[in-house]
Amino acid sequence: AQTVTQSQPEMSVQEAETVTLSCTYDTSENNYYLFWYKQPPSRQMILVIRQEAYKQQNATENRFSVNFQKAAKSFSLKISDSQLGDTAMYFCASAPYNTDKLIFGTGTRLQVFP
Amino acid sequence: GAVVSQHPSRVICKSGTSVKIECRSLDFQATTMFWYRQFPKQSLMLMATSNEGSKATYEQGVEKDKFLINHASLTLSTLTVTSAHPEDSSFYICSASPGTGGESRYTFGSGTRLTVV
């Protein structure tokens, strides 16, 4: 069974600073995807970044990047130059390659202060 | 980009009645759709996986007779909460995927807040 663990219930960062959100996972699959989703107060789930486990290169999307450590089963999200609009819940998720079944972590509430 | 429409966004119903929630993929064919439930300040819990033209696969602990899922076409899945009770009040979210592996994407609907009174 897959599990995803986010050990930081809440984080805060000042605008323009950098923050890292932690995520660890456990899976018996060899091929899988990892995701970070953002859920703002509107509760719409927004895909932030996606990593394919067979790719060694860390995914990057503008100010968002990941540190994917496959052996350690770690998948942290770094947000650079934090903006007020980044304030949201952030969920880490994983899915085996042969299904589309997403398993979510418990989330980290990020507050960006001016 | 892929768009998933979920309707209604909010619904209030009386205890004992049934409520239907629709999830539509607007610009792609969704082989698989997923239904999640989210309690306040908690994570998304997968309820069931629905595949077009076949019976839904329910997660452990989810009552299939209470949460009826129909995936009659490649663009529409419905979740019906039957004989709703106040404890069914929650935020329900669907997601849709065009397929497995490769460039699969997971797009979420905007959610439905169900309140049973």
Side-chain angles (χ1 to χ4, degrees):
Chain A
Q2 286 179 259
T3 59
V4 178
T5 302
Q6 293 178 251
S7 58
Q8 305 155 314
E10 294 185 356
M11 294 282 284
S12 62
V13 64
Q14 197 159 22
E15 199 175 7
E17 297 296 307
T18 295
V19 64
T20 298
L21 308 184
S22 301
C23 173
T24 58
Y25 62 93
D26 193 14
T27 180
S28 57
E29 302 287 335
N30 288 324
N31 297 316
Y32 49 91
Y33 295 99
L34 296 166
F35 305 82
W36 278 98
Y37 278 90
K38 169 184 177 181
Q39 188 180 42
S42 68
R43 304 193 77 172
Q44 173 74 54
M45 295 291 285
I46 301 167
L47 178 63
V48 175
I49 200 164
R50 172 178 178 267
Q51 174 84 40
E52 294 164 39
Y54 66 87
K55 290 186 177 178
Q56 293 185 337
Q57 186 172 8
N58 289 325
T60 299
E61 288 287 341
N62 300 315
R63 299 183 294 108
F64 300 88
S65 62
V66 298
N67 182 1
F68 175 44
Q69 301 290 325
K70 190 172 183 179
K73 294 184 178 175
S74 171
F75 183 62
S76 60
L77 174 69
K78 185 171 82 171
I79 306 174
S80 304
D81 186 24
S82 297
Q83 300 176 0
L84 296 178
D86 295 334
T87 293
M89 280 290 290
Y90 286 82
F91 292 99
C92 179
S94 71
Y97 188 82
N98 61 350
T99 79
D100 292 328
K101 187 173 169 178
L102 277 170
I103 302 299
F104 286 90
T106 50
T108 297
R109 184 174 301 278
L110 176 67
Q111 179 73 51
V112 181
F113 291 98
Chain B
V3 178
V4 173
S5 171
Q6 188 172 339
H7 179 80
S9 58
R10 290 174 180 268
V11 58
I12 300 173
C13 71
K14 291 185 177 180
S15 188
T17 62
S18 296
V19 174
K20 180 184 284 188
I21 302 169
E22 291 188 350
C23 181
R24 292 181 184 272
S25 56
L26 298 185
D27 52 2
F28 67 99
Q29 292 186 325
T31 306
T32 308
M33 289 187 174
F34 302 88
W35 288 96
Y36 294 84
R37 183 173 181 175
Q38 186 179 29
F39 290 104
K41 298 185 179 181
Q42 294 189 25
S43 187
L44 281 73
M45 299 301 295
L46 179 65
M47 298 175 66
T49 303
S50 77
N51 295 294
E52 185 265 338
S54 63
K55 289 184 178 180
T57 303
Y58 290 81
E59 295 298 303
Q60 192 173 6
V62 177
E63 298 176 60
K64 61 179 67 176
D65 294 330
K66 179 165 192 62
F67 299 100
L68 300 179
I69 292 171
N70 183 280
H71 194 158
S73 75
L74 284 171
T75 59
L76 174 64
S77 176
T78 60
L79 167 67
T80 301
V81 182
T82 63
S83 186
H85 288 95
E87 57 264 31
D88 298 325
S89 298
S90 190
F91 192 69
Y92 294 87
I93 311 177
C94 71
S95 73
S97 171
T100 59
E103 293 301 309
S104 291
R105 291 288 185 268
Y106 304 79
T107 306
F108 284 81
S110 53
T112 298
R113 183 181 301 281
L114 170 63
T115 303
V116 184
V117 298

